[in-house]
Amino acid sequence: MNGKLLVSIIALTIMVLTSFVSDGYGYNVVGDHSIQSTFGVRETKEGQRVSKKRTVSASSLTQVIDKNDVLLDQYPKVRVVATGYYAGYESTGKHPSHPSYGITYSGVKVRRDDYSTIAADLRVFPLGTVLYIPGYGYGVVADKGGAIRGNKIDLYFETKQDVFTQWGKKSVDVYIVRRGEGKLTEAFLNNLNQKGIAAMAEVAN
């Protein structure tokens, strides 16, 4: 193998490895060096390059937010005990044949999404309150429960196994992104999940 070919192979290998190390994605713009963070997405402008963090689905969204720069300090923080529940009989006392199976107190259907349905003491967190729960993601208060009193919340998961393997019971600091007004609709919840992280522009106001 001649020297030039060896150098070319080494250079190509370095380029490939560098591309995998990159965090986020980039595109070219014209501008000076600056940093702008908006609704949990951090932009870094360096000369003509902008780097943004990716937004992803609920299963890994919380990992991206927890591990990267997100301006959570702007929101009030409350210590709560968080448990998990699912729509099944063990959590709700309802079987799939029940007419109200999977329907929350607010009337919306349970869901695990970018913005998931959670239960809370409505005197502490009114219906429609949007919380950020580290390790879980965004939760919207849609339900209440007989055992949910004071600073306690119940996080929705799709299966009983998910409740035990992904959460269990934890004491955690949650962030109040938006305090609810005592109601929640499917339209509001759909809008949040359609827009993802960008919905924080509307929710925070």
Side-chain angles (χ1 to χ4, degrees), residues 141-177:
V141 177
D143 213 344
K144 63 179 185 176
I148 307 300
R149 293 288 183 268
N151 284 11
K152 294 183 179 180
I153 58 176
D154 216 2
L155 313 178
Y156 174 72
F157 290 89
E158 293 181 340
T159 68
K160 180 171 64 174
Q161 183 179 3
D162 288 345
V163 172
F164 290 108
T165 60
Q166 298 181 25
W167 195 263
K169 181 179 181 179
K170 300 179 184 179
S171 291
V172 62
D173 290 327
V174 301
Y175 298 84
I176 305 172
V177 178

Side-chain angles (χ1 to χ4, degrees), residues 6-27:
L6 179 60
V7 171
S8 298
I9 292 174
I10 293 173
L12 181 60
T13 302
I14 292 173
M15 289 175 62
V16 171
L17 291 176
T18 302
S19 68
F20 281 117
V21 172
S22 176
D23 183 12
Y25 59 89
Y27 57 90

Side-chain angles (χ1 to χ4, degrees), residues 113-149:
D113 210 330
D114 287 349
Y115 294 83
S116 304
T117 52
I118 64 174
D121 185 336
L122 303 185
R123 296 168 299 180
V124 179
F125 301 118
L127 289 176
T129 296
V130 179
L131 302 177
Y132 180 74
I133 305 105
Y136 179 79
Y138 289 104
V140 184
V141 177
D143 213 344
K144 63 179 185 176
I148 307 300
R149 293 288 183 268

